[in-house]
Amino acid sequence: MAAPSDRADVRPPWWREYAPGVELARSYQRGWLPKDVVAGLVLSALLVPQGMAYAQLAGLPPVTGLYTSILCLLGYAVFGPSKVLVLGPDSSLGPMIAATIAPLALANGDPARAIALASMLAVMVGVVMTVAGLARFGFVADLLSKPTQLGYMNGLALTIVVGQLAKLFGFSVDADGLLAEFGAVVSGLADGKANLTAALLGVGSLAGILLLNRFLPKLPSVLIIVVLASVLVGGFDLTSHDVDTVGVLPQGFPPFTIPDVAWDDLPPLFVGALAIAVVALADTMSTASAFAARRGDRVRGNQEMIGIGAANIAAGFFQGFPVSTSGSRTAVAEQAGSKSQVTGVVGAATITVVLVFATGLMQYVPQPTLGAIVIAAALSLADLAGTRRLWRQRRTEFWLSISALLGVALLGVLPGILIAVGLSILNVFRRAWWPHQAELGRVAGVAGLHDTESYPDADLLPGLVVYRFDAPLIFANARMFGEKVRELAEDDPELRWIIVAAEPITDVDTTASDMLHDLDAWLNERGISLVFAEMKDPVRAKIERYELTRTIDPRHFLPTLDDAVAEYVRQTGATWRGPEQRA
């Protein structure tokens, strides 16, 4: 007898839907493990220095970046739906965290108080995101079209590359923004600020990664280069030549801690949490959509919110701060062969081992090599072939993609995402505002009625125009529809019927209803009937609710175009005429 859990009519526990990591553990393939382990080791080499740097950017002790990285990776591994996304401290959130907690941390800048405030901020962000996910606000993932995704990723790649150039050549710049950073890099190179040893190591690392990826793609190129570069630094004492390295890490692991903050701190923290949640959501949805499109996966927007929420809550209870998805770290994991969130678990375990037992293990990893890793990952984000395809196939979407790219590159990731979303929405609105319109005629040898612009020799019936409007009939395009129909009526003094091929019209709002009322009255005064064919039942129901059938004859709603044309022929006796007969 089959166990109850094996019966087809027994549904899995409800909580499994909200914990994809549990299902992953049940279906995990052994063949993925070597790739996930390698990718996790590679990822940990990047997570450590970035985590520490972004903690400082947020106004917090560097070690909190490591605590945050560990716990958010574990939280997302259980509750996050994506197999490849990597969460962690993020440069776009750092200034927002600092702006939120700095006014509350008192004049003496007490680190313990700053950590408590940042941890409570992370918990609040996590709760906001989790509630949003449970409320099914994941539709935000649908607001980015493929062209805007391409533009976002291309812009992100450009931003990452420029941001890492100074590190690649062994110096630093004090500039904000793509153009300012690029100008500072060029000026630094011209002024001789580059460290020759570091530059050779960085450029060599980048070349090595790209060559291995090109000719030996099955090898873990990034890990190989990191090991070789570390051996070179340690063996030849390159630190004496001013080559920066990760250095010795702080030791220890935080206990579970409930953030201790005053009640008066909660309102300003909550306002900051809302702002950070919006930024993290926009960034994560954009990155998730882009990587899902590359891998052929489906974005589960609501569960993504829950996964981000769980990651933030986990970080907040272990002295961490708010996190988001990282496009560069996700690209590194993907390039290193990641197959699942086990990559993140391996990365978290590696950081834990290093933090507790081997704080000096990564002291020889050179910063220029880390810059090379990020640049190589960024290059894999760009999709120039897809952009060229847009240029060939649809110029408007090409320029939409370029606008998203420029938004990300010139204004920053968050404004760029907002621009991309806004452009996607405007593009949808533009199609509804200025939809395709056509007059239809009969074409010999082709079934149905067709656009007379595509078939200028189509046959027409005298006194009849068959007009198709390819959009919902709403406030934005109602005037256009009315003006076009009036134009058709005025151009043909013998016109008796205008049949609207209504199948593409998926909605009629109240503004359009008023327009149809006035339009039908205007046509009736001229002896012209307004007839609708193939109108969808939900739209016809709205027409009835608007009481339009008091003006438009109910007999002028016909099920098909063929029925409408046949009725016109029956009433008028008209016959089809070709271009030579109409001349």
Side-chain angles (χ1 to χ4, degrees):
M1 183 175 178
S5 59
D6 295 332
R7 288 168 47 190
D9 59 344
V10 176
R11 299 184 62 182
W14 64 268
W15 52 264
R16 192 176 295 171
E17 176 184 354
Y18 298 102
V22 176
E23 190 62 33
L24 174 65
R26 293 164 57 91
S27 60
Y28 190 78
Q29 300 180 23
R30 291 183 179 181
W32 293 352
L33 186 59
K35 293 183 178 180
D36 279 338
V37 169
V38 169
L41 293 174
V42 170
L43 185 62
S44 64
L46 189 62
L47 288 169
V48 171
Q50 282 193 344
M52 296 173 69
Y54 295 156
Q56 291 178 310
L57 184 63
L60 299 164
V63 71
T64 59
L66 304 183
Y67 302 157
T68 302
S69 298
I70 294 170
L71 273 304
C72 75
L73 289 172
L74 296 177
Y76 188 83
V78 177
F79 295 98
S82 172
K83 292 181 179 179
V84 70
L85 285 188
V86 176
L87 269 64
D90 187 73
S91 58
S92 65
L93 299 188
M96 299 183 70
I97 297 169
T100 302
I101 67 174
L104 306 176
L106 304 178
N108 60 7
D110 180 10
R113 177 167 169 75
I115 292 173
L117 290 168
S119 297
M120 178 57 75
L121 187 63
V123 172
M124 286 184 167
V125 171
V127 171
V128 169
M129 297 294 285
T130 301
V131 171
L134 293 173
R136 301 195 177 280
F137 286 170
F139 62 85
V140 175
D142 300 329
L143 297 181
L144 282 174
S145 63
K146 181 61 180 293
T148 55
Q149 289 179 31
L150 279 175
Y152 169 77
M153 296 301 280
N154 288 338
L156 188 61
L158 180 61
T159 302
I160 292 171
V161 169
V162 171
Q164 296 294 318
L165 285 177
K167 181 186 288 187
L168 190 73
F169 292 107
F171 67 101
S172 61
V173 296
D174 184 14
D176 188 20
L178 179 75
L179 296 179
E181 278 192 280
F182 184 73
V185 170
V186 173
S187 298
L189 292 174
D191 295 340
K193 292 183 179 179
N195 181 319
L196 181 59
T197 304
L200 289 174
L201 194 60
V203 174
S205 297
L206 178 59
I209 293 171
L210 296 178
L211 289 172
L212 284 174
N213 288 343
R214 175 68 178 84
F215 297 106
L216 298 170
K218 293 186 177 181
L219 293 181
S221 59
V222 175
L223 185 59
I224 291 172
I225 295 302
V226 166
V227 172
L228 290 177
S230 301
V231 170
L232 287 174
V233 170
F236 293 94
D237 191 23
L238 297 185
T239 53
S240 63
H241 294 272
D242 296 325
V243 174
D244 289 336
T245 63
V246 171
V248 178
L249 300 176
Q251 188 173 27
F253 189 83
F256 174 84
T257 305
I258 297 177
D260 183 15
V261 299
W263 286 103
D264 293 343
D265 295 330
L266 296 181
L269 284 176
F270 184 70
V271 172
L274 288 177
I276 291 171
V278 170
V279 174
L281 175 60
D283 193 12
T284 298
M285 288 305 180
S286 301
T287 307
S289 298
F291 276 95
R294 289 155 57 93
R295 296 167 61 93
D297 293 336
R298 178 175 62 93
V299 176
R300 294 173 56 189
N302 299 314
Q303 189 61 38
E304 284 291 357
M305 294 185 191
I306 296 173
I308 304 167
N312 276 281
I313 292 172
F317 283 123
F318 286 86
Q319 301 181 31
F321 52 86
V323 298
S324 179
T325 299
S326 168
S328 62
R329 291 189 289 270
T330 301
V332 167
E334 183 184 54
Q335 188 182 48
S338 173
K339 293 297 182 181
S340 73
Q341 282 299 325
V342 172
T343 293
V345 175
V346 172
T350 302
I351 298 173
T352 302
V353 170
V354 170
L355 192 61
V356 176
F357 299 109
T359 55
L361 182 63
M362 299 182 66
Q363 62 179 318
Y364 293 120
V365 176
Q367 293 287 356
T369 297
L370 294 181
I373 294 170
V374 176
I375 290 175
L379 294 176
S380 72
L381 293 179
D383 188 354
L384 300 182
T387 306
R388 288 195 299 269
R389 186 168 60 252
L390 287 179
W391 173 260
R392 294 193 306 269
Q393 295 175 348
R394 189 158 186 164
R395 296 292 171 85
T396 55
E397 296 198 345
F398 168 82
W399 290 115
L400 183 67
S401 177
I402 295 300
S403 298
L405 183 156
L406 293 175
V408 173
L410 300 181
L411 300 179
V413 173
L414 174 60
I417 290 171
L418 297 179
I419 288 173
V421 171
L423 289 173
S424 293
I425 295 173
L426 285 175
N427 191 39
V428 172
F429 189 70
R430 178 190 63 82
R431 294 177 184 176
W433 195 354
W434 299 311
H436 179 262
Q437 306 171 69
E439 294 179 48
L440 307 181
R442 188 179 70 174
V443 180
V446 183
L449 300 180
H450 302 276
D451 190 341
T452 55
E453 287 192 7
S454 301
Y455 297 93
D457 295 333
D459 296 340
L460 303 177
L461 284 169
L464 172 69
V465 168
V466 181
Y467 170 60
R468 191 180 68 211
F469 190 78
D470 294 340
L473 197 51
I474 58 175
F475 70 95
N477 57 34
R479 184 178 59 83
M480 175 187 293
F481 180 95
E483 289 181 353
K484 179 61 177 178
V485 171
R486 290 170 192 257
E487 178 184 315
L488 292 171
E490 292 170 345
D491 287 347
D492 185 356
E494 298 181 358
L495 189 63
R496 293 295 173 262
W497 272 34
I498 297 177
I499 298 176
V500 178
E503 196 273 338
I505 300 177
T506 56
D507 191 17
V508 175
D509 69 6
T510 55
T511 302
S513 170
D514 291 342
M515 178 275 298
L516 289 174
H517 178 279
D518 296 340
L519 178 63
D520 189 62
W522 185 87
L523 290 172
N524 288 340
E525 290 176 359
R526 288 157 179 77
I528 302 173
S529 297
L530 184 63
V531 178
F532 293 88
E534 299 183 351
M535 180 172 282
K536 298 178 184 299
D537 288 343
V539 180
R540 176 64 189 275
K542 291 180 180 179
I543 294 292
E544 297 282 356
R545 191 160 61 248
Y546 298 149
E547 299 183 343
L548 269 177
T549 49
R550 292 185 179 182
T551 305
I552 304 175
D553 190 335
R555 293 173 298 177
H556 287 170
F557 292 89
L558 296 163
T560 68
L561 272 178
D562 289 342
D563 290 336
V565 171
E567 181 62 20
Y568 175 76
V569 170
R570 187 187 67 78
Q571 292 188 23
T572 64
T575 58
W576 292 94
R577 296 180 183 177
E580 66 285 348
Q581 296 169 304
R582 299 196 301 268

